[in-house]
Amino acid sequence: MTATARPLISICVCTYRRPAGLARLMAALRHIAVPAGVEVELLVVDNDDAGSARQTFEACAGDWPWPARYGVEPRSGVGHARSRCAQDARGDWIAFIDDDEWPEPVWLTALWTTQQKLGADGVFGPVLARFDEPPPDWLVQSRLYDRPRFATGATLGWPQCATGNVLFRRQLFFDAGGFDPAFAQSGSEDSDFFWRCLDRGARFVWCDEAIVLEGVPPHRMTVAYLNQRAYVAGLNYARLHANRHGTFAFLTLALRGLAVVVAFAPLTWVSGWLKHPAKLRYEGKLQGGLGKIQAAWAPVSDEYGAGSSTPGDS
């Protein structure tokens, strides 16, 4: 009798000029608990056409406990790198994790256990911020790095779906048409992809025990960075809807963005005058509104890994 092949999970990492982050991630991955009865491989795709991550990968991959491969995706943009991962992966399942993150030891086992219990097409988990140095008080009070969490087994919609911590069936990539190159430079390629998967009947759930940690460097602890992140989230929210519903959606969302600006501009000014901690959140809403207004003509950013959150209705 022929033995049944064990499931293979491809852990996929897209990286771009973050040698310290990649080394930290690989050090953590080396010690994760592999689910019983499952095979695992590691695939690192470098989005720097110069192959700058090769040295770090080779230094960390010595005596690796399971198969590990490195490749280069020369087309600039994280969406292209994610597509390369999905195309080159050998597993029936893909687990994405970013190069500025690292998992807790039970991460993969928790994702897989939840999938096996619920039969979902994809399982997502929390990404918890870990500041590289003590953050300023105003940032802690703002809680802008506190992402929503849900009960294990909760069903998710597209705004809760991102590639920073996910296990999903690889076949979804081909069935849903992969990551759209239109979002390769701007980000939100993951939101667009998982939205299309849901349209095709996929079911995505949450696993609150599958924790991933995200390093927050000092340059991401500034008001300027957080405002830019909110602006890009608003811009991409409008682009996602226009991509699905046509260019008229730009007008509809520009009007919505204008209403947000009118509502939050005075709140931002008053809270700033009063030195109220809510100012930063009001300012983020204002920037999100501006992003929606300018989405139809704003240039597409080519900055990899800007750290913007999954676009919500800012």
Side-chain angles (χ1 to χ4, degrees):
M1 180 180 293
T2 303
T4 303
R6 300 208 294 179
L8 173 61
I9 299 174
S10 298
I11 299 175
C12 294
V13 178
C14 300
T15 190
Y16 182 76
R17 299 182 182 177
R18 282 186 181 140
L22 180 60
R24 177 175 59 187
L25 169 58
M26 291 185 66
L29 286 173
R30 178 184 288 273
H31 299 292
I32 62 169
V34 175
V38 171
E39 301 284 348
V40 177
E41 69 162 353
L42 172 65
L43 175 59
V44 174
V45 170
D46 190 349
N47 203 206
D48 182 359
D49 60 2
S52 60
R54 181 182 295 276
Q55 184 175 358
T56 301
F57 172 82
E58 291 178 349
C60 296
D63 192 29
W64 196 257
W66 8 277
R69 294 181 287 134
Y70 168 87
V72 175
E73 173 48 64
R75 295 173 298 171
S76 177
V78 65
H80 294 309
R82 295 204 196 286
S83 292
R84 176 69 179 273
C85 284
Q87 290 162 356
D88 290 358
R90 294 169 180 162
D92 296 322
W93 295 87
I94 289 176
F96 268 123
I97 187 169
D98 290 341
D99 65 349
D100 57 352
E101 300 174 345
W102 64 99
E104 292 198 343
V106 300
W107 166 66
L108 191 64
T109 297
L111 289 173
W112 182 251
T113 299
T114 299
Q115 191 286 321
Q116 291 290 285
K117 180 179 179 180
L118 301 178
D121 298 293
V123 183
F124 296 77
V127 178
L128 308 183
R130 289 294 180 267
F131 298 101
D132 290 355
E133 61 182 41
D137 290 341
W138 60 262
L139 181 56
V140 175
Q141 293 170 6
S142 75
R143 304 187 67 181
L144 287 174
Y145 276 103
D146 293 352
R147 293 179 171 94
R149 296 178 69 170
F150 310 95
T152 295
T155 299
L156 304 179
W158 72 268
Q160 294 86 44
C161 298
T163 46
N165 181 5
V166 60
L167 172 74
F168 67 97
R169 297 183 193 274
R170 179 170 173 253
Q171 188 60 40
L172 292 179
F173 173 80
F174 303 100
D175 292 345
F179 295 102
D180 190 338
F183 293 95
Q185 296 287 348
S186 65
S188 295
E189 77 293 331
D190 48 357
S191 299
D192 171 72
F193 168 68
F194 290 122
W195 199 350
R196 283 183 280 117
C197 291
L198 289 167
D199 285 345
R200 296 180 61 88
R203 185 165 70 96
F204 297 142
V205 301
W206 186 259
C207 176
D208 204 51
E209 295 76 28
I211 294 173
V212 159
L213 307 174
E214 177 189 39
V216 181
H219 79 271
R220 292 187 180 181
M221 303 183 206
T222 66
V223 173
Y225 174 82
L226 292 166
N227 282 341
Q228 178 65 13
R229 185 178 75 160
Y231 171 82
V232 171
L235 187 151
N236 280 343
Y237 182 87
R239 293 185 69 233
L240 283 165
H241 282 267
N243 191 54
R244 296 176 63 84
H245 306 302
T247 55
F248 186 76
F250 279 128
L251 176 59
T252 302
L253 287 164
L255 293 173
R256 185 187 299 180
L258 179 61
V260 169
V261 169
V262 169
F264 282 93
L267 288 173
T268 300
W269 184 86
V270 171
S271 59
W273 181 66
L274 295 173
K275 301 187 183 303
H276 194 280
K279 175 182 181 293
L280 196 59
R281 285 197 173 272
Y282 294 154
E283 201 167 358
K285 292 288 187 180
L286 176 62
Q287 292 297 324
L290 290 173
K292 290 184 176 72
I293 293 171
Q294 299 178 24
W297 66 84
V300 174
S301 170
D302 62 357
E303 181 185 359
Y304 186 104
S308 58
S309 59
T310 301
D313 194 357
S314 299

